[in-house]
Amino acid sequence: MAGIIVAFSKPEEGRTIKNLLVRNGYTVAAVCTSGAQVINMADSLRNGVVVCGYKLADMICTEVWEHVHEDFEMVLLTNPGNMYEFDKMGIATLSMPLKVKDLVNTVEMSYSISERRWKKKKLRPKPRSEEDKKIIEEAKSALIEINNMTENEAHRYIQKKSMNTGSSFAETAKLILESLYRE
């Protein structure tokens, strides 16, 4: 599940930001005062946004970022002098005093980026195991030898069968080997 984590060293600041986000239609998963709490909460969520101040009770925002940034976006509320430094790191920054509209728009954008990255990561095909690669090569070799196909034709044949049956490429190669050597 995706979520928004609000993290400030002062609990009242965290509650204020949470209330702003909730009033604008967002669900806040947690309000934290320490980096360790943020990291623990982020581990229980698949992705999301961390809205935080520069310094938390036990670490600064960049240390939190190092632990959660693969699946999370960060929105840092800071003074205008520090903004450029964090933009280079890929952390969205908002200067204080804060405009509610800027916060809402930045959180929305960051949340969308996090969701898109997670979906793209989820859809990425898993690498084939060495065993699967070996089975596929054996099936191609058998098709080349027995049916006088080129390697490209053998590959396309396995691919087409895989798509028609809805099974994986390696499973289809295994079935082809079984049927060829059964005959």
Side-chain angles (χ1 to χ4, degrees):
M1 169 174 99
I4 298 173
I5 302 170
V6 175
F8 288 89
S9 58
K10 296 179 182 173
E12 60 275 3
E13 289 176 352
R15 283 192 300 273
T16 301
I17 297 299
K18 174 191 175 193
N19 291 338
L20 284 174
L21 292 171
V22 169
R23 277 196 303 264
N24 283 281
Y26 292 96
T27 302
V28 175
V31 177
C32 305
T33 56
S34 72
Q37 290 172 329
V38 173
I39 293 165
N40 285 337
M41 189 64 197
D43 286 343
S44 69
L45 300 171
R46 69 171 191 232
N47 65 305
V49 180
V50 176
V51 180
C52 66
Y54 177 75
K55 188 171 171 121
L56 300 174
D58 58 350
M59 57 182 80
I60 61 173
C61 63
T62 53
E63 293 172 307
V64 174
W65 180 239
E66 289 172 8
H67 293 285
V68 300
H69 87 88
E70 182 178 317
D71 296 320
F72 281 79
E73 289 294 311
M74 182 175 276
V75 176
L76 176 65
L77 308 182
T78 186
N79 62 37
N82 294 337
M83 292 177 70
Y84 180 71
E85 170 188 342
F86 298 107
D87 283 339
K88 291 188 294 184
M89 296 175 66
I91 298 173
T93 56
L94 291 173
S95 65
M96 299 299 274
L98 184 65
K99 294 179 183 168
V100 175
K101 185 176 180 181
D102 290 344
L103 175 65
V104 170
N105 289 338
T106 304
V107 168
E108 176 66 31
M109 177 191 67
S110 297
Y111 193 83
S112 295
I113 291 169
S114 176
E115 278 290 300
R116 198 171 321 118
R117 184 184 311 119
W118 183 81
K119 287 177 183 174
K120 189 175 182 180
K121 182 178 174 182
K122 184 178 140 188
L123 295 174
R124 192 177 309 144
K126 295 178 184 126
R128 289 193 177 117
S129 69
E130 289 302 317
E131 182 182 331
D132 286 349
K133 289 178 186 177
K134 184 178 175 186
I135 290 169
I136 291 166
E137 287 306 313
E138 285 179 35
K140 284 183 190 178
S141 296
L143 287 169
I144 291 168
E145 187 178 312
I146 296 170
N147 293 350
N148 297 320
M149 294 180 168
T150 65
E151 183 176 355
N152 192 33
E153 289 171 334
H155 180 86
R156 290 178 59 89
Y157 178 82
I158 297 169
Q159 187 177 42
K160 186 171 185 217
K161 288 286 186 188
S162 173
M163 290 170 67
N164 289 344
T165 61
S167 59
S168 74
F169 204 81
E171 289 171 2
T172 304
K174 195 180 291 185
L175 291 172
I176 288 170
L177 281 173
E178 290 172 3
S179 72
L180 285 174
Y181 291 124
R182 206 176 337 139
E183 296 173 354

